[in-house]
Amino acid sequence: MSRAAARDEGRAAALGELQALLGDRLTTAAAMREAHGCDESWHAVAMPDAVAFARTTEEVAAIVRICSAHDMPIIPFGAGTSLEGHVSAVHGGLSLDLSQMNAILEVNAADLDVRVEAGVTRKQLNDYLRDTGLFFPIDPGANATIGGMVATRASGTNAVRYGTMRENVLNLTAVMADGSVVRTARRARKSSAGYDLTRLLIGSEGTLGIVTEVTLRLYGIPEAIRSGVVPFASIEGAVDAVIETIQSGLPVARIEILDPLSIRACNAYSKLTLAEVPTLFVEFHGTDASVAEQAERFGAIASEHGGGVSEWATKAEDRTRLWEARHNAYYAALAYAPGKKGMVTDVCVPISRLAEAIRGTLADLETSFLKAPIVGHVGDGNFHMLLLMDPANPQDLAEATRLHDRMVARALSLDGTCTGEHGIGEGKIKFLEAEHGTGVAVMRAIKQALDPKGILNPGKIFPV
């Protein structure tokens, strides 16, 4: 029997056992397989052989044991909002959808933590917490699942004050490649007991284990919140204002940059009337007195670097409208170029090198026929470029790839990273060795030890 025939026979056997376990929660319908074979990126659809919907950790463990016995790949799936092809089934197999595991299991208000299933979304969690006076601050923009946010080590607009998923996960429950269930830690805020399995799984993109439960840090909802927009005469001035703000110790909660093209797209999509110039979106949390003082100090810093008059919003509905426009910048850009897709990428550099990184990227764009808005979580040196192109057009694809690769190479030359928050997926595999060198061999050894059959999300992070 050929290798391909043996593989097909094994997968057929696995699907038969999964059907017996799950009933109608296993599907081979083409539309469902296609929906689970892609994320929101430009990467081509790669459909799984089937899609399974799990409801408990024990069920996930049983599914994994069946797939392991038949060498069938498993691709964990949350909300499908990732941006580097994380959920595509590049080698076929089973897409394991965890969205029905969406229970909020335990809120410990006195300890400021919550335990949730992996399919809970960040908006669902904060809606549930609202009456407790607590909130979960990590906000990548999309209404991602908590499990997916763990898998990609998500961060977003609040990271400059509250950190990323790495700092805000206390422990995980995960199903390993052999079907065993592991709890990585307890609820204590710190521990020196052995290897840090929690951080090992955070950012592993479903390649080391399948996260089914997460315990998260919570924070008190601020007494007062003040959001604003500040126009600048130049990108350099805006970035310099950010650097001085961070270095001065001003406790900014969010500080985002949008270039003129991003502002133009957001104005059209979100019905804003902002000046089409480099612009900072900022937000401060605290008491009424403290946020007023922080806003005043920031305004003084901004004016020293060419910032215009700040427009501030304190009402919840006005703040929501402002930040919804920022979060919708991706969709605004796509609407600005109908028929195009977005090759969206992110890099992160030390903030002292941020102006240099953005300036070099803009210089590349000035000589290109492609349009590409730039936005960024500049408080921690992270920014995004959205290359608007047609992936079916060889000229577009080649030019977008060239610009993308130059942006990453520049970030690495500035002692930065090829991705600040999107992850490697299948889209940035070629940059991993350039960034980590011999560290990649250590990563491969960990992968081999925990997933010797290579069934967990193969083709992501490392080539297969």
Side-chain angles (χ1 to χ4, degrees), residues 33 44 85 99 127 145 156 237 272 281 379 385 397 417 426 449 464:
R33 290 164 55 217
S99 61
D127 286 345
T145 62
L272 302 178
F281 283 37
M385 175 171 62
L397 182 57
T417 175
E426 62 176 306
V464 174

Side-chain angles (χ1 to χ4, degrees), residues 46-309:
M47 298 198 306
D49 297 299
V51 179
F53 293 87
R55 289 180 177 167
T56 66
T57 295
E58 293 71 26
E59 206 166 63
V60 172
I63 291 168
V64 172
R65 286 193 292 270
I66 290 171
C67 290
S68 177
H70 297 286
D71 295 339
M72 187 171 188
I74 309 168
I75 305 94
F77 188 98
T81 58
S82 55
L83 292 167
E84 290 293 352
H86 294 85
V87 298
S88 62
V90 293
H91 297 282
L94 181 73
S95 177
L96 180 54
D97 190 312
L98 302 173
S99 61
Q100 293 183 16
M101 294 181 63
N102 61 353
I104 296 169
L105 301 170
E106 181 182 12
V107 177
N108 299 291
D111 294 319
L112 298 176
D113 66 52
V114 61
R115 182 166 60 93
V116 303
E117 290 184 321
V120 170
T121 67
R122 66 172 187 87
K123 288 184 179 180
Q124 174 195 350
L125 176 57
N126 278 323
D127 286 345
Y128 184 91
L129 292 171
R130 185 171 291 118
D131 291 340
T132 69
L134 303 173
F135 82 118
F136 179 63
I138 309 305
D139 180 3
N143 191 24
T145 62
I146 298 299
M149 291 169 65
V150 169
T152 57
R153 201 186 299 138
S155 51
T157 57
N158 279 322
V160 65
R161 175 160 181 160
Y162 297 99
T164 71
M165 290 299 284
R166 180 182 63 190
E167 290 80 34
N168 287 284
V169 174
L170 293 174
N171 67 60
L172 302 168
T173 299
V175 176
M176 309 310 286
D178 62 355
S180 61
V181 178
V182 171
R183 186 182 179 192
T184 62
R186 301 300 182 101
R187 283 200 301 121
R189 286 301 176 105
K190 64 180 183 179
S191 171
S192 297
Y195 297 140
D196 192 342
L197 299 181
T198 306
R199 272 58 187 187
L200 178 63
L201 290 178
I202 295 171
S204 64
E205 302 181 16
T207 65
L208 299 180
I210 300 170
V211 172
T212 59
E213 291 183 13
V214 187
T215 301
L216 300 163
R217 294 174 182 261
L218 299 177
Y219 298 80
I221 296 174
E223 174 187 314
I225 300 174
R226 180 172 294 203
S227 301
V229 293
V230 185
F232 281 80
S234 68
I235 286 281
E236 290 83 359
V239 173
D240 287 343
V242 171
I243 293 171
E244 185 172 340
T245 298
I246 300 301
Q247 291 177 341
S248 69
L250 198 61
V252 63
R254 310 196 220 196
I255 188 160
E256 303 280 303
I257 195 167
L258 286 78
D259 75 348
L261 182 55
S262 295
I263 294 293
R264 185 180 310 159
C266 288
N267 279 344
Y269 187 83
S270 299
K271 306 299 186 290
L272 302 178
T273 57
L274 300 175
E276 294 178 5
V277 297
T279 302
L280 291 181
F281 283 37
V282 296
E283 186 168 278
F284 298 100
H285 296 174
T287 64
D288 285 327
S290 68
V291 297
E293 179 186 0
Q294 291 160 18
E296 182 179 354
R297 288 178 59 195
F298 175 77
I301 291 171
S303 65
E304 293 176 3
H305 297 282
V309 177

Side-chain angles (χ1 to χ4, degrees), residues 1-9:
M1 181 184 298
S2 70
R3 180 178 297 179
R7 180 201 64 194
D8 292 344
E9 183 177 294

